[in-house]
Amino acid sequence: MRPILAGRNERHLGALASSLGLEHRVATLDGGLAEALEGIGVVLNAAGPFTRTALPLARACLTRRAHYLDLSGEIDMIEAVRAIGPQAAEAGVMLMTSVGFDVVPSDCLAAHVAARVPGARRLAIGVSGLDVVSRGSVHTLIDQVGQGIKVRRDGVIVTTAPGALERSFDFGGGNASSLAVSWGDVASAFYTTGIPNIEVYCRATAALRALLVGNRLFGPVLRTAPGKSWLAFHAAMLPDGPSAEERARHSAVIVAEADDGAGRVARSRLRTPDAYTFTCSTALAIAERVLGGDFEPGFQTPGRVYGADFPLSFAGVSREDLPT
């Protein structure tokens, strides 16, 4: 594939494109997006926070009848893009958010356990191995400061207090305490599986506990303009992201559990390479499939279109069904 790079900063973008021998186009969210997409068949949006970029790019894609993919794991943005799904279906293009680690492996694992328990009413997902984060991920977290934790109850997304929901998952070394987080599957897994009650947890590291406590205690202050500016100033001093060596040392584990409330439970575990490495693999694979005509118009989710076994096509991925 020979992608055309796009971004807002001519100097940085031009230097990157030149180093890779690729074409580039400059555009901003304030204008020029539709023009920049002339002749483009598929857009892969890697520019977060997606609360700022997803809808403008998705709407520009509808104007140009280009397929839209992104790396978002932000619940509100998944729901916002879904809301324009009927327009995409009419235009014959696909809108698929979250084609990276958020949420391909978890969405497909959710599809797997849902198939094992037809009529499941509850879905719980646990994620482990998110030990390093990029600067971009931190900026996304800053956007969520002061907000509660989102879960799905009877088909509706509701908010709970940070740190209020805790349970255990076996990520491979015995039961490990995990805390509820706002993760994209709260939105996407509902459209993949139809399960009305969904919660997502991350392994309860000391850093996660501190983050949730800080959000609960200081969120209202940090959510103000001065508070966000202070957080953004410190985030800007972080490195762009984990190095290749750091990524090679890490892996991720996801556990999904489906329960029908009448005694039938299915639990499965999926292992993947590091989240950032796996994001590159899944996003490019889906872009290639869409370019080849493998898509469904309208708003779609990875597990629904590409199936529960899609992650198993990548190196370093394994899945096992666990005893209940």
Side-chain angles (χ1 to χ4, degrees), residues 117 119-122 258-265:
V117 185
R121 298 290 300 168
R122 292 189 293 270
D259 179 358
D260 71 352
R264 290 188 304 166
V265 178

Side-chain angles (χ1 to χ4, degrees), residues 147-229:
Q147 300 181 20
I149 301 301
K150 291 182 171 63
V151 299
R152 195 178 283 271
R153 295 281 184 265
D154 296 324
V156 178
I157 295 173
V158 299
T159 301
T160 64
L165 296 177
E166 184 169 354
R167 58 161 290 171
S168 295
F169 291 90
D170 183 0
F171 296 109
N175 286 336
S177 183
S178 303
L179 291 162
V181 294
S182 296
W183 195 269
D185 291 279
V186 171
S188 57
F190 177 66
Y191 305 114
T192 298
T193 67
I195 297 175
N197 299 285
I198 301 171
E199 298 169 356
V200 183
Y201 296 78
C202 277
R203 187 167 186 161
T205 62
L208 178 60
R209 287 191 184 278
L211 180 66
L212 292 178
V213 169
N215 192 23
R216 185 172 66 245
L217 296 178
F218 307 112
V221 173
L222 294 175
R223 193 160 177 78
T224 63
K228 285 201 170 186
S229 295

Side-chain angles (χ1 to χ4, degrees), residues 301-319:
T301 58
R304 204 199 72 75
V305 175
Y306 300 117
D309 295 341
F310 176 58
L312 302 181
S313 63
F314 299 95
V317 178
S318 63
R319 187 181 68 201

Side-chain angles (χ1 to χ4, degrees), residues 50-65:
F50 296 92
T51 50
R52 306 173 199 174
T53 66
L55 275 179
L57 269 170
R59 288 178 174 138
C61 284
L62 294 183
T63 299
R64 286 294 186 185
R65 283 183 160 75

Side-chain angles (χ1 to χ4, degrees), residues 42 67 92 94 286-297 305-306:
V42 178
H67 303 288
M94 183 170 78
I286 290 176
E288 192 168 31
R289 285 191 177 213
V290 177
L291 284 168
D294 185 3
F295 66 88
E296 295 184 26
V305 175
Y306 300 117

